[in-house]
Structure formats: structure tokens, C-alpha cells
Amino acid sequence: MDDLTMTEGGAIQVLMGDLGRRARKASRRVALAGTEDKNAALRAMAARIRSRTDAILAANAEDLADAKAKGQTSAFIDRLILDPERLEAIAQAVESIADLPDPVGRVLARFERPNGLEIERVATPLGVIGVIFESRPNVTADAGALCLKAGNAAILRAGSESFRTSSAIAEAMGEGLEVAGLPADAIRLVPTRDRAAVGAMLSGLDGNLDVIVPRGGKSLVARVQEEARVPVFAHLEGLNHVYVHGAADLDMAKTIVLNAKMRRTGVCGSAETLLVDRACAGTHLEPLVSMLLDAGCAVRGDESVQAADSRAAPASEEDWRTEYLDAIISARVVEDLDAALAHIETYGSHHTDSIVTDDEEAAERFLAEVDSAIVLHNASTQFADGGEFGFGAEIGIATGRMHARGPVGVEQLTSFKYRIRGTGQTRP
């Protein structure tokens, strides 16, 4: 499946302007759609994804061939690749969103003023949401389904590496919408690889785009934050830490650290830095470092880490700031909890950080003082996922502080309005 050929910037503007207008029109329809209509559409979309398995996997095979020819990393390939099991998981995620409570129309607050006015704050859709993402084709389904459940239309811009796969998934979802009597324009993939389309989205599509969600590397997010003329749900890199406190159980620490780093190295919840408290370094450091190395993970560490296992390479200042998304981890010994907190504040990205300890007081300090969207005690950072939170899926992990933070699910894809009922009151 090839993209439209666009050689003139004006042609892209025409294409994107039309896409925005059609999405705005569709958003009005889905904003008023009932819960059962939206759920029927979600189930129909899941069914269409399943029925198009061969076409979607064939498109993915073409994307994979191109990625391998370009020498993409194994971690990149892992993010891109689909097989029948992964595609079924995508369909199941779409279905699971149908089972979630409808976030639209929720009464968030209700109160009465002394003059008798009855005031309600009620959840409403955001409108048209633009999602710009790179290599993960599952984002097409997750983002589209979440936006629909929250009564929004979605304009999805896939990276060139996943373009064919994402297009095939989006086409299946559009068919599912039409089967359920909702407009296919409610979920559309930008039909071109041309990067000018990103600029058009950042400009707001003539006022037809209400929110931008970037899902990708640091350079993409930085560009979106710098150029966007509409609000942004920022999804920054996952510079995630596991801090093994002095009171950590060694077996638990080994299990958590190995899972946090190696379960899937290419996801944003993967641990990138291991911090070990000096109080337990004598007993915990060598087993942890050797375990990672034996599992095929490269370790870049400070002098103490290198002394614990000669296979560890020296860490540079840049390593503490690097999201590897690969089987690589930086590691160091810290003096105490205060030092761990200072390291995370200095080098972290406010995404996901975990402490391993049997000391409840230390754990509570960590949970209170680490300023990240997700903070864990005695659990793997790989739980940084909307599905694991019971949200069905996620449109991203928001690391900012406004409106949405952490996994962005259906509730975070709504705004609100005030409904006021009176009995003839006027203001004096």
C-alpha cells in the first residue's frame, strides 16, 4: 500500500485541510453518539482487524523488509514487527475499550448556589485529536479506539517505517465504523509519508485540530512542543530508574531489575538506569550486574560497577541521560536515598521510576518525592502501560503536569463543561 505522491507543498496543505474539515464534521457525530453505538463500532473494528489479518501482516512484512534494509536496530524491529499473536492482542485491546465505562457525560461535580442555581460539571469530548507517532503500528488501533470511546475524532500520522501496516489497520477500523453506522472519517490515517503533513498538523489544520499527542523520540516531541499551535499532551522519553535501596530483598531486586530492563527493551517503560544503595552494594551489586550481563544486557557503570564485574564498561556522563531502548543499562552506586532522589531529579524524564525496598518509610519518601508520572514500590517499571492500569489501552504516557499525566486513557481524552439550571434567576 503506497502513500499519495505529493510534490508540492500546496498539495499537502489541500490534503490536510480537507482531512481536518472531514474530521471536524465526524467529531460532531461521534460526540453525540450513544454508548452502545460507540461500543458496537469498537467491536466491529476489532472484527475487521481480525478479518484483515493476512493483509495487515503482508503490509507489515513490507515495512519490516524496508526497516531491515535500512539497518534499523533490533529494538526498532521489535517495536515494528507484528505476528498473529500481536495482531490478536491489538484486536483484543480494541474490544476491551468497549467494555470500559463511557467517559462522556460523567457528572464530575454538582452543587447548588445560594440563589438556587443548580450547577453541574460534566465530561465532554475534546474534539479532534491528532496523534503523531513513529514505529509502533499498534498505536493506530489504540489511539483510534480510545479517541472514539471518548467521543473524539482522530487524525493519525504514522512514521514512514510503519506506514503500510498502520494504513492497513486504519482502513480496517474505518470499515468497522461504517458497519456500525458511524463516519469512517472519525479515524483517519494521514495518507502520505511527506513530512510537510506534520507541519500542517502542528499548525492546527485551520482550527480543526484541538489537541496534539506526539508518540516518538526526543526530537519529535521537542519539535511538536516548539511548533504546535494547539495544546500538546507531551510524551517524553522514558529515562526510567530502578533504585535498589539498602533494605531491598536481593531475590526480589533481581526479579524486578531483570524484568524492568529485559522483558521488552524497546518500550518506553523499560528501565534505563540501575541505582544501587551503598548500604547493600557489598551483597547486591555483583549479583545484579552479573545477572544483567549474563542475560545479554550491556552494562555501563561507575567504578564500583566495573569492579563488581569486569565485563561492565565505563559509563560516561551522557549515559545517565540516554534512553537506550535496547539491551543496555547504565548503573551506579549511590550513597543513600537522598542521593538516589537527586540522581533521578537530575537525569530522569519524569516518566516512570521504581524503588525496591522492605523499608516502608523509605518507600513512602520515594513515592512522595520522585516527581514522575508513575512511581512504583517493589514493582517493575514495565507496568507503565495503560492496559496494565485497567484503561484498556493508552494513547501515550503524558509526562507533563497539565490536564493529563501518566497513561492517557479515555477519561484523560475528555474536557468538561458546566450545565446550569435555573428558575428565572437574574444577576443583580
Side-chain angles (χ1 to χ4, degrees):
M1 184 178 300
D2 293 323
D3 58 303
L4 297 179
T5 300
M6 295 288 172
T7 56
E8 298 291 336
I12 289 291
Q13 293 299 322
V14 171
L15 169 71
M16 297 303 294
D18 181 60
L19 197 62
R21 287 187 292 274
R22 287 189 284 118
R24 176 61 71 194
K25 184 178 180 180
S27 74
R28 297 190 185 102
R29 287 271 308 277
V30 297
L32 298 175
T35 301
E36 290 308 312
D37 289 336
K38 291 186 290 186
N39 289 346
L42 289 164
R43 295 189 178 102
M45 286 190 285
R48 287 290 175 161
I49 289 171
R50 290 189 176 103
S51 69
R52 284 183 161 269
T53 292
D54 290 344
I56 294 171
L57 293 182
N60 187 246
E62 292 185 60
D63 284 338
L64 283 169
D66 284 354
K68 291 174 181 177
K70 293 176 182 177
Q72 296 287 2
T73 66
S74 59
F76 184 96
I77 297 297
D78 179 64
R79 295 194 295 275
L80 176 61
I81 192 169
L82 290 182
D83 55 26
E85 291 73 25
R86 285 191 179 183
L87 192 57
E88 173 59 23
I90 288 173
Q92 288 180 7
V94 172
E95 282 181 329
S96 72
I97 293 169
D99 296 330
L100 297 174
D102 193 334
V104 179
R106 288 173 299 137
V107 177
L108 306 174
R110 180 184 286 117
F111 52 95
E112 183 175 341
R113 299 294 296 147
N115 60 7
L117 289 176
E118 297 178 354
I119 302 176
E120 292 178 332
R121 187 163 64 242
V122 182
T124 58
L126 289 169
V128 181
I129 298 175
V131 185
I132 303 173
F133 59 100
E134 293 180 338
S135 63
R136 296 181 192 278
N138 66 291
V139 176
T140 307
D142 289 351
L146 288 167
C147 287
L148 179 71
K149 181 75 176 192
N152 303 295
I155 296 176
L156 312 173
R157 202 280 180 178
S160 59
E161 297 84 359
S162 64
F163 182 81
R164 297 183 187 90
T165 312
S166 297
S167 296
I169 293 172
E171 187 173 339
M173 296 180 78
E175 292 174 354
L177 282 163
E178 291 184 323
V179 166
L182 292 177
D185 285 335
I187 300 174
R188 286 300 193 196
L189 192 95
V190 174
T192 176
R193 290 184 174 90
D194 195 313
R195 294 193 177 194
V198 174
M201 291 179 70
L202 298 182
S203 73
L205 300 181
D206 300 320
N208 287 312
L209 201 60
D210 297 295
V211 178
I212 289 277
V213 182
R215 284 283 303 265
K218 193 172 185 177
S219 60
L220 169 64
V221 176
R223 180 190 175 189
V224 171
Q225 289 182 312
E226 182 177 345
E227 298 181 19
R229 297 181 185 175
V230 294
V232 175
F233 287 172
H235 175 107
L236 293 181
E237 57 191 340
L239 283 171
N240 309 321
H241 300 77
V242 176
Y243 168 47
V244 178
H245 179 255
D249 176 81
L250 177 57
D251 288 338
M252 181 186 291
K254 289 172 68 176
T255 300
I256 289 173
V257 168
L258 187 63
N259 182 266
K261 177 69 254 186
M262 297 299 287
R263 173 189 165 270
R264 286 189 69 184
T265 60
V267 298
C268 67
S270 176
E272 304 292 15
T273 299
L274 169 65
L275 304 175
V276 179
D277 199 300
R278 190 168 298 280
C280 68
T283 54
H284 289 31
L285 183 61
E286 189 278 331
L288 288 167
V289 173
S290 297
M291 171 196 68
L292 287 164
L293 289 161
D294 291 343
C297 180
V299 177
R300 301 175 183 176
D302 63 6
E303 291 182 0
S304 296
V305 170
Q306 294 172 68
D309 193 306
S310 60
R311 294 174 291 171
S316 67
E317 177 68 15
E318 188 61 25
D319 281 309
W320 312 122
R321 304 181 187 277
T322 299
E323 182 188 31
Y324 300 109
L325 296 175
D326 204 348
I328 307 169
I329 194 169
S330 59
R332 79 185 320 169
V333 172
V334 292
E335 290 300 321
D336 51 24
L337 175 57
D338 287 329
L341 295 171
H343 179 100
I344 293 170
E345 178 63 25
T346 300
Y347 298 105
S349 60
H350 306 288
H351 191 293
T352 302
D353 298 291
S354 177
I355 182 173
V356 183
T357 184
D358 289 337
D359 185 329
E360 292 293 334
E361 184 177 347
E364 290 305 313
R365 268 200 68 197
F366 188 90
L367 294 173
E369 296 183 30
V370 172
D371 183 25
S372 293
I374 304 169
V375 193
L376 306 103
H377 172 211
N378 286 348
S380 169
T381 58
Q382 297 259 344
F383 284 107
D385 179 272
E388 295 298 323
F389 279 54
F391 295 173
E394 68 182 36
I395 203 169
I397 305 288
T399 53
R401 294 176 176 81
M402 297 297 289
H403 183 72
R405 200 173 196 209
V408 179
V410 291
E411 290 187 9
Q412 290 74 34
L413 294 177
T414 60
S415 183
F416 59 82
K417 66 180 179 183
Y418 287 95
R419 296 194 302 217
I420 303 176
R421 295 179 175 88
T423 54
Q425 291 90 335
T426 59
R427 185 172 177 178

